[in-house]
Amino acid sequence: MNSMIFNIQSFCIHDGPGVRTTVFLKGCPLNCFWCHNPEGIEFGNNLMIFEKKCIDCARCDNVCPSRALKRDGGHFELKKNECIYCGLCVDACPSDVFEIVGKKMSAAAVVDIVENDKPFFGQNGGVTFSGGEPMAHIDFLDELLTEAKNRGIHTAIDTSGYADWCSFMRILKKADIFLYDIKGIDNIRHKRNTGVDNTVIWDNLERLSREGKRIWVRMPIVPGANDDETMLMKTAEKLSKLNIEQVELMPYHKIGAGKYDLLKKNNQANGIEIPTCERM
């Protein structure tokens, strides 16, 4: 089985215990307006356009078979619904203006890359399957975990928890730790911020806790979206009753903001300020 991967990043130190290689699976059922990996939301390909690299050579003009790409000097318009991601614009450009995001890979090929980093994992490191949302690719994730465990690699899953419990049951014995992303306890705000209900997310977290799995809860703090102190206290109260190893509050950042321009997407988080250290 092949599935879409949009990045494999080595030497990660914030994606679970120890030094890790993080595999990013493409596609997510949530649509958090502050997402710093917007290229991972769609399940199919994306085209990134680095307009500042354009040297106005015009070699990309008229190469698009579906007429999805239009250039006006160094400015590009992309009709996303018409792009077939054939890569002809990528091949025509001498200055790397275009990049197709997303590559179909087999589980074995992915873990081959991860295994190259195994000498750096030490006793605590390993592979983290992230996204997008890895639980949205449960068949492929099951294969990835099986490959990793067969090669003696510690496994972590970075998930929003938005999946059927039966999907979690399939991989419980193959996942060594869950990095569980919580966006808040208030359901109305959660749906407004992410596009989905949070009932199943909390239900799955409680079930994982009862199963005795290692869980690190991670919560982004986004000013004006989920940093209400009353709601944070209610979230903390509920988490304190669960079997959780640690909780990490992660301040909103703008590291991925430039990707929205490259993807020709509207950045709904424009204007949100990074929370201060004192606020955190």
Side-chain angles (χ1 to χ4, degrees):
M1 176 185 295
N2 292 346
S3 194
M4 194 76 78
I5 304 295
F6 71 93
N7 192 16
I8 300 177
Q9 187 172 336
S10 301
F11 306 111
C12 300
I13 58 173
H14 300 295
D15 292 338
V19 176
R20 311 192 70 82
T21 298
T22 302
V23 177
F24 295 87
L25 283 73
K26 201 169 185 318
C28 183
L30 277 66
N31 191 13
C32 306
F33 73 82
W34 60 78
C35 183
H36 64 276
N37 283 329
E39 74 275 33
I41 296 175
E42 280 98 355
F43 284 82
N45 293 109
N46 291 107
L47 182 67
M48 279 188 169
I49 304 177
F50 298 81
E51 291 187 345
K52 292 182 180 179
K53 292 183 177 181
C54 181
I55 57 175
D56 204 20
C57 69
R59 293 184 187 179
C60 63
D61 290 356
N62 303 316
V63 300
C64 181
S66 59
R67 304 297 185 207
L69 188 68
K70 182 180 178 181
R71 185 182 69 89
D72 181 8
H75 177 70
F76 294 84
E77 293 182 9
L78 178 66
K79 298 177 182 178
K80 297 178 184 177
N81 292 334
E82 297 180 21
C83 181
I84 59 174
Y85 306 101
C86 62
L88 291 178
C89 58
V90 178
D91 296 337
C93 180
S95 54
D96 298 326
V97 169
F98 309 104
E99 179 184 333
I100 293 178
V101 181
K103 179 182 180 182
K104 285 194 172 183
M105 300 180 66
S106 69
V110 170
V111 181
D112 282 345
I113 295 173
V114 173
E115 194 170 28
N116 289 334
D117 295 338
K118 194 174 179 181
F120 303 99
F121 292 159
Q123 293 184 341
N124 299 318
V127 62
T128 298
F129 298 111
S130 184
E133 172 53 64
M135 296 299 298
H137 309 265
I138 187 59
D139 292 335
F140 188 63
L141 179 61
D142 195 0
E143 286 191 21
L144 288 169
L145 290 167
T146 299
E147 282 281 347
K149 298 311 291 182
N150 286 343
R151 305 189 199 191
I153 299 173
H154 183 277
T155 57
I157 297 177
D158 182 6
T159 178
S160 69
Y162 190 77
D164 293 334
W165 177 246
C166 61
S167 294
F168 279 93
M169 287 295 293
R170 279 184 61 179
I171 49 88
L172 275 184
K173 294 181 180 180
K174 301 175 185 178
D176 294 311
I177 186 170
F178 287 87
L179 312 179
Y180 208 96
D181 298 331
I182 288 292
K183 277 78 174 180
I185 197 169
D186 184 272
N187 196 18
I188 294 175
R189 293 188 189 187
H190 192 278
K191 195 164 186 177
R192 182 181 65 205
N193 291 335
T194 72
V196 303
D197 188 287
N198 69 357
T199 303
V200 68
I201 293 172
W202 281 98
D203 287 348
N204 287 337
L205 180 58
E206 291 175 1
R207 286 175 166 179
L208 280 177
S209 173
R210 290 196 295 269
E211 290 287 337
K213 298 301 296 184
R214 288 188 71 190
I215 304 169
W216 291 5
V217 167
R218 309 200 296 180
M219 183 173 179
I221 301 299
V222 185
N226 68 347
D227 66 334
D228 176 88
E229 292 187 23
T230 300
M231 289 297 104
L232 286 173
M233 288 300 292
K234 289 182 178 179
T235 302
E237 182 180 358
K238 189 164 185 175
L239 291 174
S240 69
K241 298 174 182 178
L242 302 179
N243 179 27
I244 292 168
E245 194 169 314
Q246 68 178 41
V247 178
E248 178 185 3
L249 301 183
M250 303 184 297
Y252 164 76
H253 61 74
K254 300 184 179 183
I255 295 173
K259 295 179 181 179
Y260 287 86
D261 290 334
L262 299 177
L263 293 165
K264 301 295 182 181
K265 282 188 173 186
N266 177 40
N267 184 1
Q268 299 179 61
N270 270 337
I272 293 180
E273 294 300 321
I274 297 172
T276 63
C277 293
E278 291 76 15
R279 176 62 175 158
M280 292 304 298

